[in-house]
Amino acid sequence: MKLQQYIPFYRRNLTLAFPIVLSQIGQVTVSLADNMMVGHVGTTELAAASFANSVFMIGMVFGMGVTMGLTPLVGKAFGQNQLQKAIVWLKNGISAHLAAAIGLTMLMFCIYFLLPHMGQPNNVLILARPYYLLLCCSYLPFMFFFTLKQFFEGIGNTKIAMQITLIANVINIAVNYVFIFGKFGFPEMGLMGAGIGTLTSRICMPLLFIYFIVRNNRYKRYFVFARYQKVFKKDISDLLRIGVPIGFQLIVEVAAFGIGAVMMGWLGETPLAAHQVALGLATFTYMISLGVSQANTIRVSHQMGEKDYVSLRRAVFASTHLVLLFMSISALIFILGRNLLPFMFTTDKDVIKVAAGLLVIAAVFQLFDGLQVVMQSSLRGMADVTKPMFIAFIAYLLIGIPTSYVFTFVLNAGPQGIWYGYLVGLGTAGILFYIRFMRLLKHLP
């Protein structure tokens, strides 16, 4: 197919993706801002943030995955011009996701009691435990925000979530500045100040969403009509049938990185702090690719509703081209800037040296990370989620983590050995997701 035939799809995908990309950048900037500010307080504080966030992210991304089941269902209904059905999905989505959020919040609080048994240095653990509790308190409002975000993206509006995320970022950084460093008469709270900033910004996010909805009659009517809809067991079952496998699919990937962080803590606080620095930078590039991929999910779900399979194919391959191009540029930046980028987070020379080595490996797995995320998004748009869940489990937990352990503790590769496992896991996932998508393509008309 000639490149000219893809140009309209590049344009449409980028138009839809740009607000989502900004929203995803905003999400990760909250963590980056915390890490940058906390890193300048001390290496122990940065290591504690790394440990607490790595554990919390496992539960957080599972909840995000559960809400993502709403987007392809709403998108398909919207593509078929069945607005009534989209409203029914909204009502059932809010009901199911809030119930799930309450249960997951309780589970995350229970995990707090397991933190001392994860082999972390005592000085890291003392700082990490109260910070982790603040993160747990932010879980319920964050889940509510994501439910609203997935609905609006399903109907093709990606701008509201972007605007809210950017506002929340400003709030987070401002509160961080006041409480981390003790400004305007407030006490200097260090890592706990970062936790207060995160909690405050995440409470504001759903409140801002409600404000946007109330002020816009076009979107307000969806929620007015949703009040009179019934909650159906079948619809909740359909939501969870898609959302739960997505959640498990995400959780195994994040669990792999979380387990890697725990193993990094066995090597000491300097490797753990370096891990947080390199992972923060890699997460930033991943979130941009994730934004393009989420737009791809919307496009695919709409095309599935319209039964326009030619446009579906072109939209997916256009997204793949865009993501791989961006990840190639990111890889080059990581290699050339490996000794400079860590300075944004810390001035500790030992941490910077270890982080620079990790960034070289991150540069290599950028392409695989881009491939796996765009293929995942294509499968989600087609509501194919169960087999990809098993693919993720095999790639990340059965292949990636054992590889990390062998390289680090058997072959004595040091901190880089853990990231070699990440490289192998992401490479396996990317290839298998691509094979799965191409097989499904053959069965479309």
Side-chain angles (χ1 to χ4, degrees), residues 81 116 176 220 237 287 298 402 434:
N81 202 29
N176 275 0
K220 182 179 178 180
S237 176
M287 283 298 182
I298 297 169
Y434 176 77

Side-chain angles (χ1 to χ4, degrees), residues 56 59-67 92-110 135-148 206 236 240 244:
F56 178 76
M60 181 175 167
V61 299
F62 178 75
M64 289 169 56
V66 171
T67 67
N92 285 270
I94 291 176
S95 302
H97 296 160
L98 287 183
I102 293 171
L104 289 168
T105 299
M106 295 173 64
L107 177 61
M108 297 304 294
F109 275 115
C110 291
L135 294 179
C136 290
C137 292
S138 72
Y139 195 89
L140 186 60
F142 189 74
M143 279 282 287
F144 186 41
F145 165 77
F146 252 85
T147 296
L148 297 176
I236 288 181
L240 296 179
V244 170

Side-chain angles (χ1 to χ4, degrees), residues 191-260:
L191 182 57
M192 284 296 289
I196 292 172
T198 299
L199 175 60
T200 302
S201 65
R202 287 179 180 168
I203 290 174
C204 289
M205 292 170 79
L207 295 178
L208 287 169
F209 227 132
I210 293 171
Y211 174 78
F212 271 86
I213 292 167
V214 171
R215 296 273 296 180
N216 190 310
N217 288 329
R218 177 187 173 190
Y219 299 123
K220 182 179 178 180
R221 62 176 181 152
Y222 285 113
F223 292 83
V224 172
F225 293 146
R227 289 176 56 190
Y228 302 102
Q229 302 300 321
K230 294 182 179 180
V231 176
F232 297 105
K233 289 183 179 180
K234 183 182 182 304
D235 287 341
I236 288 181
S237 176
D238 289 341
L239 280 165
L240 296 179
R241 180 178 54 82
I242 296 176
V244 170
I246 293 175
F248 276 114
Q249 189 175 328
L250 292 177
I251 204 174
V252 295
E253 181 177 356
V254 173
F257 281 88
I259 293 169

Side-chain angles (χ1 to χ4, degrees), residues 390-409:
F390 289 109
I391 290 173
F393 179 80
I394 293 169
Y396 299 127
L397 295 187
L398 298 187
I399 296 177
I401 286 301
T403 302
S404 292
Y405 185 87
V406 169
F407 270 101
T408 305
F409 300 106

Side-chain angles (χ1 to χ4, degrees), residues 197-393:
T198 299
L199 175 60
T200 302
S201 65
R202 287 179 180 168
I203 290 174
C204 289
M205 292 170 79
L207 295 178
L208 287 169
F209 227 132
I210 293 171
Y211 174 78
F212 271 86
I213 292 167
V214 171
R215 296 273 296 180
N216 190 310
N217 288 329
R218 177 187 173 190
Y219 299 123
K220 182 179 178 180
R221 62 176 181 152
Y222 285 113
F223 292 83
V224 172
F225 293 146
R227 289 176 56 190
Y228 302 102
Q229 302 300 321
K230 294 182 179 180
V231 176
F232 297 105
K233 289 183 179 180
K234 183 182 182 304
D235 287 341
I236 288 181
S237 176
D238 289 341
L239 280 165
L240 296 179
R241 180 178 54 82
I242 296 176
V244 170
I246 293 175
F248 276 114
Q249 189 175 328
L250 292 177
I251 204 174
V252 295
E253 181 177 356
V254 173
F257 281 88
I259 293 169
V262 171
M263 289 194 291
M264 197 72 79
W266 298 345
L267 301 176
E269 68 176 46
T270 295
L272 184 57
H275 170 84
Q276 181 70 359
V277 170
L279 187 61
L281 292 166
T283 301
F284 184 84
T285 59
Y286 169 79
M287 283 298 182
I288 295 176
S289 296
L290 180 62
V292 176
S293 298
Q294 288 180 336
N296 182 58
T297 297
I298 297 169
R299 290 293 312 280
V300 170
S301 65
H302 286 183
Q303 303 305 333
M304 288 290 289
E306 297 172 4
K307 301 186 185 305
D308 185 354
Y309 302 121
V310 172
S311 294
L312 184 152
R313 291 183 177 92
R314 293 178 182 176
V316 169
F317 290 126
S319 295
T320 304
H321 299 161
L322 292 170
V323 167
L324 292 181
L325 175 62
F326 169 74
M327 287 304 226
S328 298
I329 296 171
S330 300
L332 184 61
I333 292 173
F334 280 3
I335 292 173
L336 296 179
R338 63 188 183 278
N339 294 312
L340 297 176
L341 293 172
F343 273 103
M344 294 189 298
F345 300 86
T346 181
T347 56
D348 188 317
K349 293 182 179 179
D350 292 333
V351 174
I352 291 170
K353 182 179 179 181
V354 176
L358 299 180
L359 284 175
V360 174
I361 303 172
V364 178
F365 71 53
Q366 290 291 289
L367 290 175
F368 290 119
D369 206 7
L371 178 63
Q372 66 90 17
V373 74
V374 77
M375 288 297 109
Q376 279 190 60
S377 70
S378 303
L379 294 171
R380 287 173 194 159
M382 300 167 75
D384 180 61
V385 292
T386 302
K387 289 187 178 179
M389 176 184 69
F390 289 109
I391 290 173
F393 179 80

